């Protein structure tokens, strides 16, 4: 089984940057596709970015060119580098598998983009 812990969120001004981390347990982490998801107030949770075990990536259109997902299999960690953030990026960010497993959703980490 896998446990996931997100960190790195906070308050950032428009145009700024944040780096989110997701620490995963489990002995076969390297075999899972992993994703970052976000849920803004009043909206459904959406997939933001996903990375396969081999490092192939995909992004929702709204973050293409600004966010980068990466992984370090030796550290069982997934990252989301968020650059040139916008107010509409404000949300709670979660990591999970891609596709996600219901039982692995955690508390997430809050990202607030505001001046």
């Amino acid at each position: 089984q896998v446990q996931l812990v997100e960190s790195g969120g906070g308050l950032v001004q428009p145009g700024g940057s944040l780096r989110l981390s997701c620490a995963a347990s489990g002995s076969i982490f390297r075999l899972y596709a992993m994703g970052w998801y976000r849920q803004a107030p009043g909206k459904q949770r959406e997939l933001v970015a996903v990375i396969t075990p081999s490092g192939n990536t995909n992004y929702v259109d709204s973050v293409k060119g600004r966010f980068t997902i990466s992984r370090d299999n030796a550290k069982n960690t997934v990252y989301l580098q968020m650059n040139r953030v916008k107010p509409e990026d404000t949300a709670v960010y979660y990591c999970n598998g891609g596709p996600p497993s219901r039982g692995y959703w955690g508390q997430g980490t809050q990202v607030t983009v505001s001046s």
Side-chain angles (χ1 to χ4, degrees), residues 8-115:
L11 176 64
V12 62
Q13 292 184 270
S17 297
L18 283 175
R19 183 177 183 252
L20 309 184
S21 297
C22 171
S25 66
S27 61
I28 55 172
F29 169 83
R30 69 187 186 282
L31 302 180
Y32 288 83
M34 296 295 297
W36 282 98
Y37 303 77
R38 67 186 180 187
Q39 188 164 25
K43 293 191 173 185
Q44 293 285 312
R45 182 153 46 203
E46 67 171 345
L47 177 64
V48 176
V50 64
I51 184 167
T52 70
S54 62
N56 293 320
T57 60
N58 280 291
Y59 302 88
V60 67
D61 285 346
S62 60
V63 310
K64 286 181 179 176
R66 300 189 297 118
F67 292 7
T68 302
I69 187 172
S70 61
R71 69 192 296 161
D72 186 337
N73 288 338
K75 297 181 179 179
N76 284 7
T77 302
V78 184
Y79 305 95
L80 186 68
Q81 179 66 46
M82 305 169 61
N83 296 328
R84 304 188 304 281
V85 296
K86 303 176 179 180
E88 52 262 44
D89 296 322
T90 295
V92 178
Y93 284 71
Y94 305 86
C95 63
N96 208 319
S101 296
R102 179 180 293 106
Y104 296 162
W105 295 115
Q107 289 296 118
T109 187
Q110 176 73 51
V111 172
T112 302
V113 183
S114 177
S115 59

